[in-house]
Amino acid sequence: QSAQQRDSAATPPTGREAARLQAAAGPNAGAWLYGSVGQTMPQLWLGPQSFRAFVRFRLGVAVIPEGRACIGCGVRQGAGTDMHGDHTLACTGGGWKTRGHNHVADVIAAFARNAAATVAREQCLFADNAKRLDVIVSLPADPTRRFLVDVAITHPLSASTLARKEVGPGVAATLYERQKRHKYDADIAAHNSAAGESDTFVLVPAVFDTFSAMSESANAFLDALTKSWALMSGLPLAVAVRIMRLRVSHAVARMTGGHLAAAAASLGGL
């Protein structure tokens, strides 16, 4: 090994590369790799193209051919600007984020029902506005508390996120929580003040990044949901935790890998 190679290997990564390594180490970001406990259903595994695209993305290897138009918004990207898929994953065009968001919300709702929780979908609970919650959950152990789950997907390597220079495992997802709390906090405080302990709202900004890492609130809520599910199903808690985290992580990995694979395929890549 040459001195130049040794110096390069010893140089700490910076910028996007440092942020990528941090994002790949986020809470739950590797759970999709475990495989589905006791299940062989094809929908619980990534397909070959999605798997290839997601692994390349996580490793920092180019996924998208250079200088092509985004499949979401149609804007042509400059040479080298989206080879890792950062614009593709941050772009809101084409509806891919909405589909991925809905899939993650479906997974959470399904687990809540398995835990014998009372579950409602896509409801507005505030009379003075049209703010709508993705999943509303009341666990059997405490039916007086309603968890208001608002799912969101964020990309930790987008230009806007990197510009903030706040990096760390799962940090992008947790930072996005602030926006969600700002959106709902006043309404929830007003409701809780009026209703008292008989009907308490608890906001859960369930934010996941494109590496499948989750925010602090999502992590805490899924822990509570998993304990309830294990109790109702008789599963050992360790098994329930693994299944729950795998399914949620897989939902995000399938969304990310599938979108990158579609983008690459439409441009002659992968």
Side-chain angles (χ1 to χ4, degrees), residues 167-255:
V167 298
V171 166
T174 295
L175 287 174
Y176 199 176
E177 280 193 8
R178 298 175 187 172
Q179 298 180 37
K180 295 295 185 182
R181 294 197 179 281
H182 180 73
K183 178 180 178 181
Y184 290 107
D185 273 356
D187 292 305
I188 290 175
H191 168 85
N192 289 345
S193 177
E197 296 182 359
S198 63
D199 184 25
T200 303
F201 286 174
V202 180
L203 179 65
V204 179
V207 184
F208 303 86
D209 71 26
T210 48
F211 284 77
S212 79
M214 62 177 69
S215 66
E216 292 174 358
S217 292
N219 193 40
F221 172 70
L222 289 178
D223 275 348
L225 191 58
T226 303
K227 289 175 182 176
S228 181
W229 180 47
L231 184 64
M232 298 301 299
S233 65
L235 282 173
L237 181 59
V239 174
V241 167
R242 180 171 171 178
I243 293 174
M244 168 77 79
R245 292 184 177 274
L246 165 76
R247 299 288 177 84
V248 174
S249 179
H250 174 271
V252 180
R254 187 178 185 182
M255 171 197 71

Side-chain angles (χ1 to χ4, degrees), residues 23-88:
N28 209 54
W32 65 282
L33 289 165
Y34 293 148
S36 189
V37 181
Q39 299 289 339
T40 58
M41 293 181 288
Q43 64 266 33
L44 298 181
W45 299 85
L46 296 182
Q49 296 297 324
S50 296
F51 179 83
R52 186 178 298 117
F54 194 54
V55 169
R56 291 175 71 92
F57 164 69
R58 282 178 57 91
L59 293 177
V61 179
V63 183
I64 309 291
E66 294 188 23
R68 304 298 180 91
C70 170
I71 63 169
C73 65
V75 174
R76 184 170 297 278
Q77 305 301 304
T81 59
D82 196 35
M83 62 183 182
H84 296 109
D86 293 332
H87 170 83
T88 297

